[in-house]
Amino acid sequence: MKKVTKIAQNTAEITERPKLRVAAYCRVSTDSDEQRVSLETQIKHYESYIGANPEWEFAGLYYDEGITGTKKEKRPELLRMIADCEQKKIDFIVTKSISRFARNTTDCLELVRKLIRLGTFIYFEKENINTGSMDSELMLSILSGLAESESVSIAQNNKWAIQKRFQNGTYKIGSSPYGYDAVDGELIVNQAQAEIVRFISAAILSGKGTCSIASELNRSGLTGKHGGRWKSSTIRGMIRNEKYTGDAIFQKTYTDEHFNRHHNNGEKDQYLIKEHHEPIISREDFEAAQIAIEQRGKEKNVEKRSKKYQNRYPFSGNIICGQCGGTFKRRIHSSGKKYIAWCCSTHIANIEKCAMKYILDSDLEYAFIAMMNKLIFGHKLVLKPLLASLRGMNNRDSRTSIKELEKKLNENADQRKVLVGLMTKGYLDPAVYNKSNNELLQEAERLQRQKESFVRFLSSDSRYLNEVSELLHFTSKAAMLTSFDGELYSRFVERIRVISRTEIGFELRCGLTLKERMVN
């Protein structure tokens, strides 16, 4: 007879499970009194809601007030909450609805996927969706798409109403320029600030540059509209602002269908109202200041809003900070010996927001020379195989693959329709239906991703092929570089990404990114 040994039950006290760290996120889209009451109500609700669950531990309340939900970049509290999730401070998030969390489908799915990878899940109260128990993103995608459509509809209605007020002259200005205060939609002269506006206008007419005017104002201890330092760009903007003459032009900017704001350079109608409010400077002085600004531009051989003005130097506008994503600006340092350097604009404005220090202009030039010389020396090992690879990717094959994927997607949709029919007639158990339907949805998502990758390849293939071919042609014929060539840099480099003060990455127009160590 076989011997059976009994394993006794473990009667030891089971270790208490740690509580789930739960945070809440709230948002109201305007800063009106009614919306502030709504926000206070949401805050009280979540404090009691989270506190009432004995298995939950309150991990914080994050709320954005008076900020649009169409762009996640414009909501600091949401970004702070995600940063806390990355630091493993939050296990679970509760929010009112998808529309409160994001009104942009792409942002919503991107944030949800990111949080899931971090091990943090979200519960949307209104839709009763818990991302921790979801078998598919289909429902979330549909609902967030509806939220985005709602946001677009509201935006269109608001735009229509605003344009009507532009047309009949009843639009009330909410934000006033320096020199004015907005009172009940009217611009009222702020006498103290108006004196500074007149000083700036007189300084421009006397021949001073915008940089020297900004420096003089900063040295005097005066601050700008929101308490910040004066910049040359601020001075230029004030000189060109017609509101100081008492006139008002409306719709200088507009928002596109992706909620991105642009300067209106004729794409949309503009509306001019003369003698809209009390002027600070005369029209004659305003027009003379425009002439003075244009004359200084001609002396420097630059034109207003021209590409040459925006990019007077090879590196202008295309050096990106690897820490904060800000753009580097050209500066002249004069501590002892003068030298040119490039500094992160975020670091210049607030050193606490970005710790990236300046990089010498000469170091960037040496790094470019070194990178190009490596390509010239090793073009057969780097560029020739890349070109052959791109040529080997046949566009006809890609189109055939897209058609095959579309066929499979249609078959997948037909199979889901059959499942719905069987479920409706009672031939299929709900659990079996859910399992089979989820598998088909996951397969459809995978097929769709494959299709999108082929489409992206077809759209970019010819451009990259031409760029690689041109770079190979140059490097196979060129001699080693001994000095920096700005035209050559602009021809082959898309941008520079500064990883640190000792390492940068050249993002080439052909799609390659080549890292280079800086010379110290």
Side-chain angles (χ1 to χ4, degrees):
M1 184 177 177
K2 294 181 179 179
K3 182 179 179 181
V4 177
T5 303
K6 179 181 178 181
I7 301 175
Q9 178 183 354
N10 184 6
T11 58
E13 183 179 352
I14 299 174
T15 305
E16 184 180 351
R17 288 188 304 173
K19 290 186 176 182
L20 205 64
R21 295 167 296 178
V22 182
Y25 176 73
C26 315
R27 180 184 62 81
V28 293
S29 54
T30 69
D31 55 3
S32 65
D33 292 338
E34 291 181 0
Q35 293 287 8
R36 274 195 287 270
V37 171
S38 170
L39 179 62
E40 290 172 4
T41 303
Q42 289 184 59
I43 292 171
K44 291 177 181 177
H45 163 70
Y46 287 120
E47 285 177 346
S48 58
Y49 179 73
I50 296 174
N53 192 323
E55 296 182 355
W56 287 0
E57 176 185 336
F58 184 70
L61 188 68
Y62 303 80
Y63 60 91
D64 286 308
E65 184 177 0
I67 296 175
T68 177
T70 55
K71 290 282 184 180
K72 68 177 186 297
E73 294 86 357
K74 297 182 179 179
R75 291 188 280 164
E77 282 292 285
L78 175 66
L79 297 177
R80 187 171 71 88
M81 181 179 71
I82 293 170
D84 286 346
C85 290
E86 290 174 339
Q87 295 175 16
K88 305 300 180 183
K89 295 180 180 180
I90 301 171
D91 302 314
F92 195 65
I93 298 169
V94 179
T95 190
K96 182 179 178 182
S97 66
I98 292 172
S99 64
R100 294 292 90 190
F101 188 69
R103 285 195 173 178
N104 178 301
T105 308
T106 303
D107 281 355
C108 184
L109 294 177
E110 178 187 325
L111 289 173
V112 167
R113 288 168 179 165
K114 181 174 183 176
L115 290 170
I116 288 175
R117 288 195 298 270
L118 294 171
T120 305
F121 304 104
I122 311 172
Y123 176 62
F124 300 98
E125 288 186 287
K126 182 179 177 181
E127 294 84 5
N128 193 27
I129 291 179
N130 185 339
T131 61
S133 59
M134 286 169 52
D135 295 316
S136 170
E137 293 181 338
L138 177 64
M139 185 57 66
L140 182 64
S141 178
I142 291 172
L143 293 172
S144 57
L146 292 173
E148 180 177 0
S149 299
E150 178 192 358
S151 183
V152 171
S153 176
I154 292 171
Q156 288 175 342
N157 291 338
N158 288 338
K159 286 178 184 177
W160 181 86
I162 290 171
Q163 285 181 346
K164 287 297 179 185
R165 292 199 291 273
F166 285 160
Q167 292 169 8
N168 58 33
T170 59
Y171 179 78
K172 291 186 176 181
I173 295 175
S175 178
S176 58
Y178 185 87
Y180 289 97
D181 296 320
V183 181
D184 297 327
E186 301 291 333
L187 290 182
I188 307 299
V189 175
N190 181 315
Q191 294 300 336
Q193 293 180 1
E195 287 301 315
I196 306 303
V197 175
R198 295 187 187 103
F199 164 78
I200 292 171
S201 177
I204 289 291
L205 293 175
S206 69
K208 287 186 178 181
T210 54
C211 288
S212 62
I213 295 172
S215 299
E216 187 173 345
L217 290 171
N218 287 326
R219 284 195 301 270
S220 66
L222 294 169
T223 57
K225 178 70 177 176
H226 302 290
R229 290 176 58 81
W230 290 91
K231 300 178 182 177
S232 60
S233 58
T234 307
I235 304 297
R236 284 195 299 272
M238 291 175 66
I239 291 299
R240 293 178 178 135
N241 193 339
E242 82 294 336
K243 288 185 176 64
Y244 293 117
T245 67
D247 298 341
I249 296 177
F250 295 113
Q251 197 156 259
K252 292 180 180 179
T253 62
Y254 67 94
T255 305
D256 63 20
E257 65 274 13
H258 302 295
F259 306 104
N260 296 314
R261 185 162 291 277
H262 304 276
H263 287 287
N264 185 1
N265 297 316
E267 295 86 355
K268 303 287 183 181
D269 292 335
Q270 291 187 330
Y271 304 88
L272 168 65
I273 301 178
K274 285 188 171 291
E275 299 179 0
H276 177 268
H277 51 272
E278 182 183 351
I280 292 178
I281 60 176
S282 67
R283 285 193 178 88
E284 291 77 13
D285 285 350
F286 177 80
E287 291 171 0
Q290 305 308 301
I291 294 171
I293 287 287
E294 289 179 11
Q295 182 60 36
R296 287 184 65 85
K298 289 177 181 178
E299 290 171 2
K300 293 183 177 181
N301 195 28
V302 294
E303 297 177 7
K304 179 184 174 183
R305 290 182 182 173
S306 69
K307 188 172 183 181
K308 186 175 181 181
Y309 178 78
Q310 296 167 6
N311 299 300
R312 283 180 281 173
Y313 308 99
F315 299 132
S316 294
N318 62 4
I319 304 179
I320 308 301
C321 178
Q323 285 190 13
C324 69
T327 306
F328 275 54
K329 292 183 177 180
R330 188 178 186 269
R331 314 277 281 189
I332 298 178
H333 290 204
S334 55
S335 53
K337 183 181 178 182
K338 282 190 176 182
Y339 58 92
I340 300 169
W342 292 85
C343 310
C344 173
S345 54
T346 307
H347 179 84
I348 295 170
N350 189 341
I351 192 172
E352 294 180 358
K353 289 187 177 180
C354 181
M356 184 69 75
K357 295 183 179 180
Y358 69 87
I359 292 179
L360 293 178
D361 184 83
S362 56
D363 287 351
L364 290 171
E365 292 181 352
Y366 290 142
F368 173 73
I369 294 169
M371 184 270 297
M372 287 300 297
N373 283 339
K374 288 176 183 177
L375 282 178
I376 292 170
F377 179 78
H379 65 273
K380 292 181 180 179
L381 298 175
V382 178
L383 298 177
K384 273 195 173 181
L386 178 60
L387 184 62
S389 175
L390 287 173
R391 284 174 174 167
M393 295 179 180
N394 195 310
N395 284 356
R396 185 180 298 174
D397 292 342
S398 297
R399 292 190 176 91
T400 302
S401 298
I402 290 173
K403 288 181 179 179
E404 290 176 355
L405 289 168
E406 287 176 344
K407 181 181 178 182
K408 289 180 181 179
L409 283 167
N410 290 332
E411 291 174 353
N412 183 285
D414 291 338
Q415 290 173 6
R416 280 184 279 137
K417 286 180 182 178
V418 171
L419 280 177
V420 172
L422 294 173
M423 177 68 179
T424 304
K425 293 177 182 178
Y427 298 147
L428 206 61
D429 185 76
V432 175
Y433 166 78
N434 287 332
K435 183 176 182 299
S436 301
N437 190 54
N438 287 334
E439 288 175 353
L440 286 171
L441 287 171
Q442 289 172 6
E443 182 189 16
E445 187 178 350
R446 178 179 59 79
L447 293 171
Q448 185 64 34
R449 283 200 301 268
Q450 289 181 3
K451 177 186 171 182
E452 289 173 356
S453 66
F454 278 113
V455 171
R456 282 196 299 271
F457 165 73
L458 284 174
S459 63
S460 62
D461 177 39
S462 59
R463 181 172 71 87
Y464 285 147
L465 186 64
N466 292 336
E467 292 288 352
V468 172
S469 179
E470 187 176 345
L471 181 57
L472 178 60
H473 181 266
F474 171 80
T475 53
S476 62
K477 305 289 185 182
M480 290 291 185
L481 303 182
T482 56
S483 61
F484 178 75
D485 187 333
E487 291 185 4
L488 194 65
Y489 169 85
S490 301
R491 180 180 171 188
F492 293 121
V493 180
E494 185 74 34
R495 65 178 61 87
I496 295 174
R497 189 166 298 277
V498 179
I499 302 166
S500 68
R501 293 192 77 191
T502 58
E503 187 178 27
I504 61 174
F506 289 97
E507 297 181 6
L508 305 185
R509 297 188 184 278
C510 66
L512 283 176
T513 297
L514 301 176
K515 292 183 180 180
E516 193 66 41
R517 301 290 296 180
M518 301 290 283
V519 177
N520 290 319

